[in-house]
Amino acid sequence: MVAFSAVTTVLSLRLFLRHEMDANQIASFNNFRDAVVDALYIGDDLGVQSASESLQKSIPELAFAVFLDRGRTGVRLGGLESLERFQKLDPRCAPAQGKEASMLDERRGVEHWRFYCSDIAQANAEGARISGTIFVGFNMNMLEEKVDGVLQRVLPSLVSAMLVILGLGLLAAYLFADKLTRPIRHLTEGAKAIGEGNWDTQIPVESSDELGFLAHEFNLMAMKLRELDQLKDDFVSSVSHELRSPLSAIAGYVELLRSKPLADIAADKRDKALSIIQESTDRLGRFINDILDLAKLKAGQVEVRRSKVDLADLIEDVMALFMPLFEKKEIQAVADVAGALPPVQVDEEKIRQVITNLASNALKFTPSGGRITISAKNQSDFVEVMVQDTGVGIPEEEKEAVFERFRQVKSPHAAVTGQKGTGLGLAIAKGNVEVHGGRIWIESELGKGTRVHFTIPFHSAS
């Protein structure tokens, strides 16, 4: 009777564990599919790679998590390990229609693999059509070993307890089984919550073993998915705001100009309407160019047209461009070039854009009566340029984050003047500096001002 009860309990536990692990596989596939859909919507191939690598870290028995992009002639997206295993295993899974995944169990000698696949077809944020297939594979041998390992740990304790007293043994078996399966239930519930779009889901980490590690990695994955979802929302919000304002202005003044013959509209009103239409058109153009520049920088497709450039002259040009704005705001502006700087081989327009973006930020966050200095000095192997202001400063925790896309400074002392920025200026500046082999960093103190430094190596100078 004791032996029968022990065997029955072990078999039931094995069936339960396999059922829970099967459910986790489906949940992991759906999580990866949702992450791919979100990443492709905003054109973020690295987001697919990050989701694949995160899944690989959190699930040891995962063979691969890959997206096959048919729209780009079979481009494969995923982590490096996933791509290598995908190519080696070459799964023959036939995709299903809709969100339901097809499953294929395949045995190759002693190896047992399970493959899930599903087609997706959607439009991205720019309206372009994207189609492809998501593949996720699991090493079932590892899963069987994990189940067997769990059972091998349970069986001796269970049998010993039942030999002492059947009732106490049954109670111990129940409590032990509950302890083992509780983390899996938490994972299942967490996966279900994330599948429903609850990105704030976190599950308790109750141990330091494999299941505890899996729970910890699951929480990290949930945080990454939440960040990706927030990035998507920020992108849509920023684009909507930046497009709506100038388009509304253009539409309003075009309606004004069409409301009556031009000859009947006062010349000053006509000129003001045309001026605002022009300014709004320019603003739209700059915003679209910023997005395109940032996309090229992220994709590594920036064309750098190097020429011999005198940085002192370039700084003077930027100062001359901003001087009317500095004077209007009663800001003292100084160009400080230490000694004779040798020319550098750079893309003049990209470095001009860097200095212009930094000067624009300094102007925006510096109150009337402040001071802005643009300086440059020779540092032997490179030239260092600094834009310094006496503005509101940047909180310590924001210094690195301000270089992220669409990131706006959140300062309790901020009194920003002029149009609100898009949050792209510093991201573009950082990208332009890095394609020249330089680096950019910020030193700041709240209420006292900010210093933004960037370097340009001399190694490519003639």
Side-chain angles (χ1 to χ4, degrees), residues 387-402:
V387 178
Q388 180 178 7
D389 64 60
T390 57
V392 296
I394 300 173
E396 183 68 28
E397 64 274 12
E398 294 277 345
K399 288 182 182 178
E400 291 299 324
V402 293

Side-chain angles (χ1 to χ4, degrees), residues 261-299:
L262 291 179
D264 294 342
I265 300 176
D268 58 338
K269 290 186 178 180
R270 186 170 62 244
D271 292 342
K272 179 181 178 181
L274 293 174
S275 175
I276 291 177
I277 290 173
Q278 181 65 54
E279 290 175 1
S280 298
T281 303
D282 292 342
R283 180 180 173 188
L284 283 173
R286 286 193 301 271
F287 179 65
I288 292 171
N289 287 335
D290 283 348
I291 291 180
L292 293 175
D293 288 344
L294 196 59
K296 290 179 181 178
L297 286 167
K298 186 173 182 181

Side-chain angles (χ1 to χ4, degrees), residues 233-458:
D233 292 341
D234 290 345
F235 176 82
V236 173
S237 176
S238 296
V239 170
S240 299
H241 171 76
E242 289 301 318
L243 295 180
R244 184 185 299 114
S245 298
L247 286 175
S248 298
I250 292 172
Y253 280 98
V254 167
E255 183 178 355
L256 172 64
L257 294 175
R258 295 184 61 187
S259 64
K260 60 180 69 176
L262 291 179
D264 294 342
I265 300 176
D268 58 338
K269 290 186 178 180
R270 186 170 62 244
D271 292 342
K272 179 181 178 181
L274 293 174
S275 175
I276 291 177
I277 290 173
Q278 181 65 54
E279 290 175 1
S280 298
T281 303
D282 292 342
R283 180 180 173 188
L284 283 173
R286 286 193 301 271
F287 179 65
I288 292 171
N289 287 335
D290 283 348
I291 291 180
L292 293 175
D293 288 344
L294 196 59
K296 290 179 181 178
L297 286 167
K298 186 173 182 181
Q301 298 175 349
V302 180
E303 181 180 358
V304 180
R305 300 177 179 177
R306 297 182 183 270
S307 61
K308 188 179 294 185
V309 175
D310 187 325
L311 276 179
D313 291 343
L314 187 56
I315 291 172
E316 289 292 344
D317 289 346
V318 174
M319 291 293 286
L321 176 66
F322 280 89
M323 192 55 67
L325 298 175
F326 291 149
E327 292 175 350
K328 181 179 179 181
K329 202 173 176 182
E330 297 179 351
I331 291 176
Q332 182 183 2
V334 178
D336 181 14
V337 179
L341 291 177
V344 289
Q345 286 282 357
V346 296
D347 187 317
E348 181 175 358
E349 288 306 313
K350 285 182 172 50
I351 299 303
R352 183 190 301 274
Q353 186 180 27
V354 173
I355 301 174
T356 299
N357 287 355
L358 299 183
S360 177
N361 277 357
L363 173 65
K364 187 184 305 178
F365 291 99
T366 301
S368 298
R371 178 185 175 94
I372 294 175
T373 303
I374 304 179
S375 62
K377 57 183 176 180
N378 189 341
Q379 298 283 31
S380 183
D381 294 331
F382 56 86
V383 60
E384 179 179 337
V385 180
M386 179 181 70
V387 178
Q388 180 178 7
D389 64 60
T390 57
V392 296
I394 300 173
E396 183 68 28
E397 64 274 12
E398 294 277 345
K399 288 182 182 178
E400 291 299 324
V402 293
F403 290 109
E404 297 174 4
R405 295 171 293 174
F406 304 110
R407 192 60 176 257
Q408 302 283 347
V409 175
K410 298 176 182 178
S411 170
H413 306 290
V416 181
T417 59
Q419 290 183 346
K420 181 183 177 183
T422 62
L424 298 176
L426 286 178
I428 292 173
K430 183 175 187 290
N432 283 342
V433 169
E434 290 179 348
V435 298
H436 285 85
R439 69 186 188 96
I440 186 170
W441 70 98
I442 290 177
E443 298 173 347
S444 185
E445 186 174 350
L446 279 177
K448 294 186 177 181
T450 300
R451 295 183 300 277
V452 184
H453 306 255
F454 71 90
T455 61
I456 301 173
F458 282 126

